[in-house]
Amino acid sequence: MFEYQYPDASGHFGRYGGSFASETLTHALTELRQAYAKYQNDPEFIAEFQSELAHFVGRPSPVYHAARMSREMGGAQIYLKREDLNHTGAHKINNVIGQAMLARRMGKPRIIAETGAGQHGVATATICARYGLECIVYMGAEDVKRQSPNVFRMKLLGATVVPVESGSRTLKDALNEAMRDWVANVDNTFYIIGTVAGPHPYPAMVRDFQKVIGEECLQQMPEFLGAERQPDAVIACVGGGSNAMGIFHPYIPFENTRLIGVEAAGEGLDSGRHSASLQRGSAGVLHGNRTFILQDDNGQITETHSISAGLDYPGVGPEHAWLQELGRAQYVGITDKEALDAFHYLCRIEGIIPALESSHAVAYAMKLAKTMRADQSILVNLSGRGDKDIGTVADLSGADYYDRPSMRGYTVKGGAAQ
Ligand SMILES: *Cc1c(COP(=O)(O)O)cnc(C)c1O
């Protein structure tokens, strides 16, 4: 058993985490820490959270044995944790429900959030509709243009979307604007953060709301592998790191299970066009905590790139920085091209259209499986579904991809008779 008890009382994961926020937020953060400490062990809170996950989200999400894909790889068995089947199409809703439940108990009727691709904004707008809370979502003006279907979804759900015109008009500018709003309206406003980042207690709190993913897997995997057996490796993509922490955390004590986080290597880890904070970043402060970030020599946040908007974030949750330093988790990169290939492959061989984010995890699992034996197993967190990405894929691959002469009659091997 791997001994692990983090964060400490001040919200530190070793030398990462903590709370770096303006004086004006000290009171709000203390209030939030106290409320979370009170409700996280409250049987009534826990029962309501579980009921929401069961009836509104549709949990538990299944684990699926990707048998055809595994056979094709000729190595380890690959299993997919189907977070793509959740209401709103990804894991993000788990955390948003938990935070919205806290907001209600704290008497905060106004919710703010920031979003890059719009996925966290949609999840937040969804739960605000469910609970009758006011919802304001900050989004970089550039992202508002790029992600118009999600902007419309948020509006359908009753949210106000505020385009942020400052800076590069993307996620990090939206983050700053959300922080500014929180400072100005702290009395009646709850800030729902969408990943395991932010000042203490957010990284631990978001992880706790997401760890239901791994806890379900601990029950589900022995059904496939036999009594007491758990997978040899667990793989998840890492943007801010919440779906990865959600599936990793319950597995941390299981030393024989490797934990592998997949960052977006974009055009290559050494191209300067990627979002691999853990592999190519350095320690610094972003979004209220100390972690690994992509910064230049003057400490300015650098532009990031990934084919998948959800991984396009210049930082990462502090707990991942710590798990990497402890050696308990390992972080690797998958390029845009590898992710896109894995996206097409999973569509064709298993009948599942994955999110481009999740396709990074699938791509690494395909590589790793080939180096392992058929009696070994890999569990992949399929963090979301790819409906939102079909426009991007059509642009990149060509809408006529499957109509080209070279693709005519294309089927993945290992088919029909099996
Ligand atoms: C937002 C998102 C991610 C990245 O966020 P994490 O906090 O790293 O999990 C990954 N997959 C999907 C489907 C997403 O929507």
Side-chain angles (χ1 to χ4, degrees):
M1 284 283 174
F2 188 90
E3 291 293 330
Y4 187 87
Q5 273 295 337
Y6 292 96
D8 64 16
S10 60
H12 285 90
F13 301 87
R15 52 200 195 96
Y16 305 105
S19 183
F20 298 78
S22 70
E23 202 77 22
T24 16
L25 290 179
T26 310
H27 176 68
L29 286 167
T30 305
E31 200 181 32
L32 176 60
R33 278 196 286 275
Q34 287 168 347
Y36 183 54
K38 174 175 168 195
Y39 289 112
Q40 85 180 123
N41 299 312
D42 174 39
E44 186 264 339
F45 185 89
I46 294 168
E48 184 181 329
F49 184 53
Q50 285 171 348
S51 170
E52 292 291 75
L53 292 180
H55 303 289
F56 193 63
V57 178
R59 303 204 72 90
S61 64
V63 166
Y64 168 70
H65 180 201
R68 279 191 75 200
M69 179 162 80
S70 305
R71 215 159 31 230
E72 281 291 298
M73 294 303 120
Q77 303 307 307
I78 300 171
Y79 296 85
L80 305 176
K81 176 63 170 167
R82 299 291 308 275
E83 291 299 295
D84 60 312
L85 296 177
N86 293 341
H87 179 42
T88 70
H91 66 289
K92 289 203 171 72
I93 190 87
N94 303 325
N95 161 53
V96 169
I97 288 178
Q99 290 193 50
M101 282 176 50
L102 265 186
R104 293 173 90 190
R105 283 165 174 76
M106 292 171 71
K108 310 269 183 187
R110 183 173 177 273
I111 301 293
I112 57 168
E114 90 291 331
T115 194
Q119 295 301 108
H120 175 56
V122 169
T124 305
T126 299
I127 210 65
C128 288
R130 162 98 179 79
Y131 291 153
L133 298 164
E134 186 186 356
C135 182
I136 293 107
V137 179
Y138 290 94
M139 191 167 182
E142 199 53 44
D143 291 332
V144 169
K145 258 197 308 199
R146 287 193 292 201
Q147 309 289 341
S148 57
N150 273 342
V151 173
F152 193 61
R153 267 183 205 115
M154 288 183 256
K155 290 182 179 172
L156 287 173
L157 293 159
T160 305
V161 180
V162 182
V164 176
E165 301 284 354
S166 56
S168 56
R169 308 157 89 227
T170 57
L171 178 61
K172 66 176 166 28
D173 313 293
L175 264 164
N176 292 336
E177 212 49 50
M179 277 287 184
R180 223 164 294 165
D181 178 313
W182 202 27
V183 169
N185 300 293
V186 67
D187 288 339
N188 71 344
T189 298
F190 190 106
Y191 180 15
I192 298 191
I193 293 184
T195 192
V196 284
H200 178 53
Y202 283 101
M205 179 172 73
V206 175
R207 172 199 76 193
D208 291 347
F209 289 139
Q210 290 291 3
K211 72 183 179 193
V212 60
I213 302 172
E215 283 167 351
E216 287 172 3
C217 293
L218 284 179
Q219 303 293 318
Q220 292 165 315
M221 289 311 293
E223 293 171 22
F224 293 98
L225 304 178
E228 313 272 318
R229 278 192 65 188
Q230 296 296 341
D232 298 286
V234 174
I235 301 181
C237 65
V238 176
S242 68
N243 86 88
M245 273 323 304
I247 198 166
F248 285 0
H249 190 259
Y251 276 100
I252 290 176
F254 293 75
E255 289 174 289
N256 294 330
T257 299
R258 288 172 64 190
L259 305 177
I260 304 170
V262 185
E263 294 190 300
E267 294 174 8
L269 283 176
D270 299 315
S271 67
R273 288 189 39 86
H274 58 73
S275 308
S277 324
L278 286 162
Q279 296 165 84
R280 289 294 182 275
S282 50
V285 172
L286 177 71
H287 207 175
N289 68 89
R290 189 180 148 84
T291 186
F292 262 55
I293 59 180
L294 293 169
Q295 55 187 333
D296 65 19
D297 294 342
N298 300 317
Q300 294 297 312
I301 298 300
T302 52
E303 284 297 315
T304 53
H305 163 79
S306 168
I307 188 182
S308 62
L311 301 185
D312 204 346
Y313 173 59
V316 63
E319 192 164 12
H320 286 291
W322 184 229
L323 287 173
Q324 173 170 258
E325 194 158 310
L326 289 175
R328 181 62 192 91
Q330 163 198 357
Y331 296 87
V332 298
I334 282 291
T335 64
D336 288 349
K337 175 163 189 328
E338 291 171 315
L340 189 60
D341 289 346
F343 173 97
H344 284 296
Y345 189 73
L346 196 70
C347 291
R348 296 296 285 237
I349 198 160
E350 296 290 353
I352 296 171
I353 302 179
L356 280 171
E357 291 83 2
S358 323
S359 301
H360 287 72
V362 173
Y364 192 73
M366 289 165 64
K367 280 192 187 176
L368 184 65
K370 292 177 188 162
T371 70
M372 293 167 68
R373 296 188 314 267
D375 65 343
Q376 295 184 298
S377 57
I378 298 173
L379 173 62
V380 178
N381 198 8
L382 201 75
S383 54
R385 69 176 82 124
D387 305 44
K388 67 184 179 58
D389 294 317
I390 56 176
T392 307
V393 171
D395 287 347
L396 290 167
S397 302
D400 66 341
Y401 185 66
Y402 288 105
D403 301 329
R404 290 179 198 156
S406 60
M407 296 296 289
R408 208 160 282 151
Y410 172 75
T411 47
V412 177
K413 281 184 296 172
Q418 313 204 21

